[in-house]
């Protein structure tokens, strides 16, 4: 009988909060994630009496609202979540900020290559260099500004420091040299493909980290993975189109599904099989997904604007990959497309590309 009275008392101390929103958004109540809150669809939550922190954020992360909702009687509480007007204002401000070309997006190709020369001169290097005769070729990338992201959702980024990037993805030959000289025992599967100039595949994020650490020690230089902001900057090379050659996948511009290459949906292709971008970098789109340094975040809100890797917050079980692969649909091989993967996964589509910090 006593237990029944306690249960009745607990029931008496709860009420229903009914939320209705004018935009699709994600809902948090206190520390509980309720997932999607759909536009114009009432959503009921039973809550105990007291104060509750309600948080909603639009699907693209542009607008977030939080408030304290007091529940003090058993009557149903109705709250209308009005986001649309504030969202439209924020969107208009964002579009005005990124409407005009920025930085490198205003440079002709000759200016891009001139800036590369100056950056290389400042670092005491050639624009294309190797630290040793047997380490990968690297290309100097000048500092500069650009707009990252999809055409309708751009974010300003200022790459504050010049850096170097692998001219090609890390190859099978590069990895063989690593295994032979490092004592590492892991030899990735070649998937039945033949050729030392193929990109190495079946490496996970931890394998990639081990490789750059070894290469740094081997050369006494600072090798690392690219940040996501650096990768897109280097991939675009001043372009604002979906691909660095235009808005359509076209014919034989890269190795992905429906790209018209002889390797599409069959295998990875030897590095350097297609035209480079304006920076002189090959295979930035298609061929293999490339592991990056960043932790996965759903969007760019509060991301670094200086070109650095985003390594706080987000989902630590996911790391960012970019570029698409030989088996990807064309939309996944765009400059702006993002993929998150568990860092321990090895896959015949997954490879890596080097970055090197410059003086």
């Amino acid at each position: 009988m006593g237990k029944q009275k306690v249960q009745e008392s607990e029931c008496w101390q709860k009420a229903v909060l009914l939320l209705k929103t004018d935009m699709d958004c994600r809902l948090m109540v206190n520390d509980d994630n309720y997932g999607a809150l759909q536009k114009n669809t009432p959503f009921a939550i039973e809550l105990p009496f007291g104060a509750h922190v309600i948080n909603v954020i639009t699907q693209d992360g542009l607008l977030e609202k939080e408030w304290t909702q007091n529940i003090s009687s058993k009557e149903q509480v109705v709250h209308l979540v009005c986001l649309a007007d504030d969202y439209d204002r924020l969107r208009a401000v964002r579009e005005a900020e990124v409407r005009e070309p920025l930085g490198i997006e205003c440079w002709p190709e000759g200016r891009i290559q001139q800036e590369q020369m100056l950056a290389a001169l400042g670092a005491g290097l050639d624009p294309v260099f190797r630290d040793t005769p047997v380490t990968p070729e690297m290309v100097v990338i000048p500092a500069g500004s650009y707009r990252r992201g999809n055409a309708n959702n751009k974010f300003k980024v200022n790459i504050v420091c010049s850096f170097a990037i692998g001219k090609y993805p890390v190859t099978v030959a590069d990895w063989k040299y690593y295994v032979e000289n490092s004592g590492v025992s892991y030899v990735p599967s070649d998937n039945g493909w033949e050729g030392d100039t193929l990109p190495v595949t079946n490496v996970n994020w931890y394998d990639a980290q081990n490789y750059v650490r070894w290469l740094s020690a081997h050369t006494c230089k600072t090798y690392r993975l690219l940040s996501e902001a650096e990768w897109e900057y280097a991939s675009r090379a001043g372009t604002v189109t979906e691909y660095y050659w235009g808005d359509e996948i076209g014919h034989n511009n890269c190795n992905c599904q429906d790209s018209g290459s002889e390797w599409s949906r069959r295998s990875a292709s030897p590095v350097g099989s297609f035209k480079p971008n304006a920076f002189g970098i090959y295979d930035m789109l298609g061929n293999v997904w490339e592991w990056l340094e960043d932790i996965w975040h759903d969007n760019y809100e509060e991301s670094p604007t200086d070109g650095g890797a985003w390594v706080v917050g987000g989902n630590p079980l996911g790391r960012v990959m970019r570029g698409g692969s030989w088996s990807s649909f064309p939309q996944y091989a765009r400059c702006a497309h993002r993929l998150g993967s568990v860092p321990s996964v090895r896959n015949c589509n997954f490879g890596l590309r080097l970055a090197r910090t410059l003086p």
Side-chain angles (χ1 to χ4, degrees):
M1 176 67 77
K3 183 177 180 181
Q4 182 178 354
K5 287 183 177 180
V6 170
Q7 290 175 337
E8 290 175 352
S9 175
E10 289 176 348
C11 181
W12 179 261
Q13 299 300 316
K14 291 183 178 180
V16 172
L17 172 64
L18 186 68
L19 297 174
K20 188 175 180 180
T21 175
D22 57 1
M23 280 191 69
D24 290 343
C25 56
R26 299 191 299 275
L27 171 67
M28 291 280 294
V29 179
N30 301 321
D31 292 324
D32 296 324
N33 185 350
Y34 283 81
L37 185 61
Q38 296 180 343
K39 176 182 177 180
N40 297 329
T41 303
F43 187 81
I45 313 168
E46 188 178 57
L47 296 171
F49 286 3
H52 301 277
V53 177
I54 315 295
N55 177 281
V56 294
I57 183 169
T58 55
Q59 299 287 5
D60 61 2
L62 182 61
L63 176 62
E64 181 176 11
K65 286 191 176 182
E66 184 173 287
W67 72 94
T68 299
Q69 187 76 55
N70 288 307
I71 306 292
S72 57
S73 74
K74 64 179 182 179
E75 294 181 2
Q76 179 173 283
V77 178
V78 179
H79 189 101
L80 301 178
V81 184
C82 299
L83 300 173
D85 289 345
D86 288 342
Y87 181 87
D88 288 344
R89 282 192 290 271
L90 279 175
R91 172 60 64 194
V93 170
R94 169 67 55 76
E95 289 177 352
E97 287 178 346
V98 299
R99 187 176 296 119
E100 298 300 322
L102 179 69
I104 193 173
E105 297 169 350
C106 305
W107 299 352
E109 187 168 328
R111 167 80 184 278
I112 289 173
Q113 292 163 357
Q114 181 183 35
E115 293 291 335
Q116 281 185 278
M117 291 286 292
L118 292 172
L121 183 64
L125 296 165
D126 292 329
V128 181
F129 67 93
R130 293 180 191 267
D131 280 317
T132 78
V134 291
T135 51
E137 279 189 282
M138 304 296 291
V139 177
V140 174
I141 303 298
S145 302
Y146 81 113
R147 300 169 299 167
R148 76 192 293 196
N150 290 300
N152 61 350
N153 196 25
K154 294 281 190 179
F155 288 74
K156 289 183 179 180
V157 177
N158 181 36
I159 306 293
V160 297
C161 296
S162 301
F163 61 97
I165 182 175
K167 186 176 181 179
Y168 310 106
V170 172
T171 65
V172 170
D174 295 329
W175 199 271
K176 284 181 179 178
Y177 182 81
Y178 165 52
V179 171
E180 291 167 358
N181 291 274
S182 68
V184 169
S185 59
Y186 177 61
V187 179
S189 169
D190 64 5
N191 312 302
W193 308 331
E194 295 183 1
D196 282 352
T197 60
L198 290 169
V200 69
T201 57
N202 296 296
V203 291
N204 63 30
W205 187 83
Y206 299 108
D207 298 325
Q209 292 289 351
N210 289 336
Y211 177 64
V212 297
R213 280 194 289 267
W214 171 81
L215 192 57
S216 296
H218 181 67
T219 61
C220 298
K221 307 297 181 183
T222 305
Y223 282 87
R224 55 182 175 80
L225 297 183
L226 291 152
S227 73
E228 188 176 9
E230 288 173 333
W231 187 95
E232 188 170 335
Y233 178 74
S235 175
R236 288 189 176 282
T239 61
V240 295
T241 48
E242 296 285 8
Y243 310 92
Y244 51 77
W245 56 81
D247 281 322
E248 302 295 332
I249 193 65
H251 182 77
N252 211 34
N253 291 308
C254 73
N255 179 13
C256 72
Q257 187 172 159
D258 300 326
S259 67
S261 85
E262 62 183 282
W263 302 278
S264 297
R265 294 193 68 190
R266 292 177 52 231
S267 70
S269 47
V271 299
S273 295
F274 306 94
K275 291 181 180 179
N277 66 12
F279 279 139
I281 313 170
Y282 292 80
D283 300 299
M284 288 296 285
L285 301 178
N287 217 6
V288 289
W289 288 102
E290 298 175 1
W291 287 109
L292 303 179
E293 187 68 28
D294 301 57
I295 291 173
W296 175 260
H297 294 75
D298 290 339
N299 54 63
Y300 294 134
E301 293 297 329
E302 300 182 1
S303 63
T305 58
D306 62 356
W310 199 0
V311 293
V312 296
N315 180 357
L317 298 179
R319 293 284 172 167
V320 179
M321 308 192 82
R322 287 294 204 108
S325 79
W326 55 274
S327 66
S328 296
F329 290 112
Q331 59 265 38
Y332 298 153
R334 295 176 298 112
C335 292
H337 186 76
R338 311 171 67 230
L339 176 71
S341 181
V342 176
S344 60
V345 171
R346 291 167 172 159
N347 188 287
C348 62
N349 295 280
F350 293 180
L352 73 148
R353 188 185 297 263
L354 296 171
R356 172 149 111 60
T357 301
L358 299 181

